[in-house]
Amino acid sequence: MAAADSPSVALRRRDLCSRGIRLAGKMRSDVVDLLDVYVERQGLDASASVAIVEGVPVAAAERWDEQTGTQRLLENLAAYRAFRILLAQMLEEQREQLGEADAALGQSLAAVLLQVSAFTYHLEELLQLESHGPSSEEGPSPPLSPHLSLFERKLRGLGVLRELAQWAVRSARDLRQLTKSSSSSSSAPSPAESP
Amino acid sequence: LFLAAPPKEPVLMCRSNNYPKGFYCSWHLPTPTYIPNIFNISVIHGTREMVCEKDAFPKNRCHIRYLQLFSTVKYKVTLTVTNALGKNSTSLTFDEFAIVKPDPPESVVAKPVPSNPRRLEVSWQNPSSWPDPESFPLKFFLRYRPLILDQWQHVELSDGTSHTITDAYAGKEYIIQVAAKDNDIGTWSDWSVAVHATPWTEEPKHLTTEAQLTETTSSSTSSFMPPPTTKICDKGAVVGSGAVAVCWTAGLVVAAYGVLFI
């Protein structure tokens, strides 16, 4: 940002960041619990390695500390929009596969999906504040998995939840970085307005 | 006379006390070989081999800088030890988050609170090895007990580096320790160095005249008459593991005031 924000913008950003951090923390905790249930219900080995699957946003970042605020928000937003679609797919697959036999898993998946949606909204609001305009359109959807076997879909689901758990940690850190840089920029004097 | 031996399986440990900068691994042999040993360590992250830079001191340690953060790919560390009589090795596989363990909090201070016989004010600092507590905040666990009891009280604190204990037993010396953990990941640090403190107590009331002294001596079996120069040392802050010093310039104190201690 070239100029310091108005106090109301800074306050709004701080408020969104702190609520976002809390939401990310809750989301992570619920995803970790969901992972335990998912592994058990799907008959998987918790320590199984899952190869990176196309369309699943990878939380791993190089030079993470060098990212700008806008970069952080854009990457987070792209990730959670993808997770929203992936979790909806998982929910549908789980209902087809297990039906009413495992309502608890379905409910947990639905609860996490709701949190992901709420977090996506937070990120969109923050990005509007950062870029002073509406957030960009959603990117391409992650590919559907019609040709994967049942086992492959289970493993993919495991990969989705693991990456989501990592993203939730990363997002909390990203929002703290945003808060930190917002605190330092809000103390800078505003330039005089041009005529 | 010692018999040289081939190395047994080494003991390897890896830990990140300075997340997100990097982590270190350290090792030792469970039993001595009595001949020189060479240690080689390799660190693999996915398909990438990373360099573990050996520390000058201690010699059995090396450190790795994180090239990526938030990765789900595990790290595999393999240590091989070789000497003239043989070879042995061990491996560790772990997630980035699992080995995060800060150093204990530093500069723990516990002070009584004036006019509050059941309070103790405790403060501490983030471990100096933790590089960025603003972006990677720590949470804390405080434990305290009176010296005369074995049971600890625990308080978990997600914000700030101070806490006021409000349920201390009046007049009892306390031992207090603090531990730290990253707010989101990893495990708790070891406990900090213990500090001792005693809550504030009211100064005992003095008998001021000799006449009063003469009257009371004959009727009571035990009474304490401190000389006018009696002083109680200021029960100030104590840092470190020493006990709080309470100093009296008078002699014996006979508990005849009916002040009840639990």
Side-chain angles (χ1 to χ4, degrees):
Chain A
M1 281 177 292
D5 295 315
S6 69
S8 60
V9 168
L11 202 61
R12 174 89 179 124
R13 181 186 294 111
R14 208 158 44 236
D15 180 54
L16 281 170
C17 283
S18 75
R19 282 195 282 142
I21 288 166
R22 281 198 297 276
L23 188 49
K26 173 78 171 73
M27 188 163 51
R28 192 216 174 193
S29 169
D30 288 354
V31 171
V32 166
D33 290 344
L34 174 55
L35 260 167
D36 289 340
V37 173
Y38 187 85
V39 157
E40 192 210 321
R41 293 283 204 274
Q42 302 289 24
L44 297 171
D45 177 0
S47 61
S49 286
V50 179
I52 295 170
V53 180
E54 191 191 347
V56 179
V58 171
E62 300 204 4
R63 297 196 172 90
W64 171 85
D65 53 330
E66 295 172 15
Q67 288 188 334
T68 64
T70 304
Q71 276 174 318
R72 293 179 194 281
L73 287 172
L74 285 170
E75 288 191 17
N76 271 266
L77 191 53
Y80 285 93
R81 280 173 172 167
F83 278 123
R84 203 165 46 183
I85 295 169
L86 288 164
L87 285 170
Q89 283 175 6
M90 281 174 67
L91 197 50
E92 181 141 345
E93 285 164 8
Q94 185 266 336
R95 281 175 184 153
E96 280 170 14
Q97 176 200 334
L98 292 166
E100 292 303 314
D102 202 344
L105 178 57
Q107 279 168 12
S108 301
L109 268 168
V112 166
L113 174 54
L114 200 58
Q115 288 178 62
V116 165
S117 297
F119 196 69
T120 306
Y121 170 76
H122 255 80
L123 294 169
E124 286 166 351
E125 292 282 290
L126 271 165
L127 198 55
Q128 280 196 34
L129 281 180
E130 290 294 304
S131 58
H132 309 286
S135 54
S136 55
E137 295 291 322
E138 298 212 17
S141 305
L144 294 170
S145 52
H147 304 297
L148 294 179
S149 69
L150 176 60
F151 183 66
E152 285 168 331
R153 275 188 267 155
K154 288 181 182 181
L155 277 187
R156 187 181 199 228
L158 181 61
V160 167
L161 293 177
R162 279 183 179 162
E163 287 298 336
L164 179 55
Q166 299 294 98
W167 264 106
V169 176
R170 176 176 164 177
S171 299
R173 314 289 198 192
D174 280 323
L175 293 178
R176 284 195 195 101
Q177 290 290 86
L178 269 173
T179 310
K180 199 165 128 182
S181 57
S182 164
S183 304
S184 52
S185 69
S186 64
S187 59
S190 322
E193 291 199 6
S194 52
Chain B
L1 180 69
F2 296 106
L3 275 177
K8 290 210 163 111
E9 183 179 340
V11 178
L12 175 65
M13 179 276 279
C14 296
R15 177 182 160 218
S16 174
N17 66 337
N18 62 344
Y19 189 83
K21 279 197 172 160
F23 63 94
Y24 71 85
C25 295
S26 63
W27 54 86
H28 66 270
L29 288 173
T31 53
T33 60
Y34 302 107
I35 54 174
N37 304 295
I38 296 171
F39 293 90
N40 274 309
I41 192 161
S42 81
V43 182
I44 310 278
H45 184 226
T47 54
R48 194 189 269 182
E49 179 147 9
M50 302 173 76
V51 174
C52 195
E53 293 180 33
K54 288 218 173 138
D55 289 349
F57 182 83
K59 283 188 182 173
N60 62 334
R61 200 161 98 166
C62 67
H63 61 272
I64 299 110
R65 286 181 62 86
Y66 281 122
L67 299 176
Q68 268 188 347
L69 292 178
F70 316 112
S71 174
T72 50
V73 175
K74 291 183 192 292
Y75 290 82
K76 184 174 179 181
V77 180
T78 304
L79 177 73
T80 306
V81 55
T82 311
N83 69 16
L85 297 177
K87 193 173 175 175
N88 214 322
S89 68
T90 189
S91 279
L92 271 185
T93 302
F94 52 83
D95 291 314
E96 175 187 321
F97 293 169
I99 61 164
V100 175
K101 179 181 174 180
D103 288 329
E106 296 173 6
S107 307
V108 183
V109 172
K111 287 196 281 199
V113 178
S115 307
N116 282 276
R118 300 202 66 186
R119 289 186 178 221
L120 287 169
E121 208 169 77
V122 188
S123 64
W124 57 90
Q125 286 175 12
N126 289 310
S128 50
S129 51
W130 197 252
D132 188 2
E134 207 180 331
S135 304
F136 295 82
L138 295 172
K139 58 183 177 184
F140 301 96
F141 213 79
L142 189 135
R143 71 174 184 180
Y144 58 96
R145 65 173 173 85
L147 284 185
I148 55 171
L149 295 178
D150 290 332
Q151 190 108 11
W152 291 96
Q153 298 277 89
H154 293 99
V155 181
E156 185 168 327
L157 304 151
S158 56
D159 225 345
T161 53
S162 64
H163 177 70
T164 302
I165 295 166
T166 57
D167 61 350
Y169 293 131
K172 298 302 179 196
E173 185 178 345
Y174 271 75
I175 179 168
I176 299 141
Q177 289 178 293
V178 192
K181 181 185 168 300
D182 177 88
N183 212 50
D184 302 310
I185 61 174
T187 58
W188 289 97
S189 73
D190 293 341
W191 291 106
S192 70
V193 167
V195 295
H196 292 240
T198 305
W200 174 92
T201 50
E202 196 172 349
E203 287 190 21
K205 298 204 183 333
H206 304 159
L207 296 171
T208 54
T209 67
E210 281 202 13
Q212 286 171 332
L213 173 63
T214 309
E215 270 178 33
T216 53
T217 303
S218 56
S219 58
S220 64
T221 54
S222 60
S223 61
F224 172 62
M225 253 80 59
T229 53
T230 300
K231 275 189 271 190
I232 300 170
C233 279
D234 183 20
K235 295 186 184 112
V238 175
V239 178
S241 55
V244 171
V246 176
C247 59
W248 298 82
T249 57
L252 286 172
V253 177
V254 179
Y257 297 109
V259 177
L260 292 174
F261 291 93
I262 299 168

